[in-house]
Amino acid sequence: MYEDGFQPGIMKVCAWSGVVFCLMWLIGASVVAGWQYIPPPSAADPAIKVAADYASKNLGIQIGVTLANFSIVAYTMWGMVVTQMTRRVEKDWPILYFVQVVSLAVCVIVILMIALFWGAASWRAGDTLPEVTQLANDLGFKGGTALMFFY
């Protein structure tokens, strides 16, 4: 540890957590997409097919969504190490530091919303109207992606 409290070991762990996030998120999202992530499931699929897909792999989707949600911790750690580097550079007027902290918080919420919608789609798939499952699926795949590109 340095005199100013800088701990390079912690910073390295946080920096490597970005890789952990990417792996956990991609595995979780791939399970939800039925390992057909590129390209994602077609938006032209009828509601009955979407609901049947969710009902047939319900447990796998819920595990994938849980993994994706837990990956947010790693994303937050990585984002904070990047933010802290900005803080160290800015010194007395840390305006960009505060912009990054707020932006990181919003990004975490957006990423959580994607997995939340997928989880909602899988919750009672087969028991609710197929259109409800399709709506939650579409919000996760299309709505979340649109928010990420917007931000």
Side-chain angles (χ1 to χ4, degrees):
M1 182 162 103
Y2 292 76
E3 289 179 19
D4 64 352
F6 177 69
Q7 297 182 5
I10 292 175
M11 297 295 270
K12 286 178 186 176
V13 168
C14 289
W16 278 103
S17 69
V19 175
V20 172
F21 162 74
C22 289
L23 292 175
M24 287 176 70
W25 175 258
L26 286 176
I27 290 170
S30 296
V31 169
V32 172
W35 300 99
Q36 182 192 338
Y37 200 59
I38 300 175
S42 174
D45 287 346
I48 298 288
K49 181 181 182 316
V50 173
D53 286 347
Y54 269 87
S56 68
K57 53 185 177 173
N58 201 353
L59 181 63
I61 289 174
Q62 290 173 354
I63 291 170
V65 165
T66 302
L67 184 65
N69 274 336
F70 281 130
S71 73
I72 300 303
V73 174
Y75 178 77
T76 305
M77 290 170 55
W78 174 80
M80 285 309 296
V81 80
V82 171
T83 302
Q84 186 60 26
M85 290 295 121
T86 303
R87 172 87 166 127
R88 289 176 58 101
V89 170
E90 284 194 306
K91 306 279 186 218
D92 295 333
W93 295 92
I95 294 169
L96 292 179
Y97 165 77
F98 291 115
V99 169
Q100 281 184 303
V101 169
V102 171
S103 296
L104 177 63
V106 171
C107 285
V108 165
I109 291 169
V110 168
I111 294 170
L112 278 172
M113 292 299 288
I114 294 169
L116 174 92
F117 287 126
W118 288 337
S122 72
W123 186 252
R124 293 183 191 246
D127 293 340
T128 60
L129 293 172
E131 290 79 13
V132 173
T133 303
Q134 184 182 36
L135 174 66
N137 176 66
D138 288 349
L139 285 171
F141 272 106
K142 284 73 172 183
T145 306
L147 281 173
M148 287 178 71
F149 283 119
F150 173 74
Y151 222 51

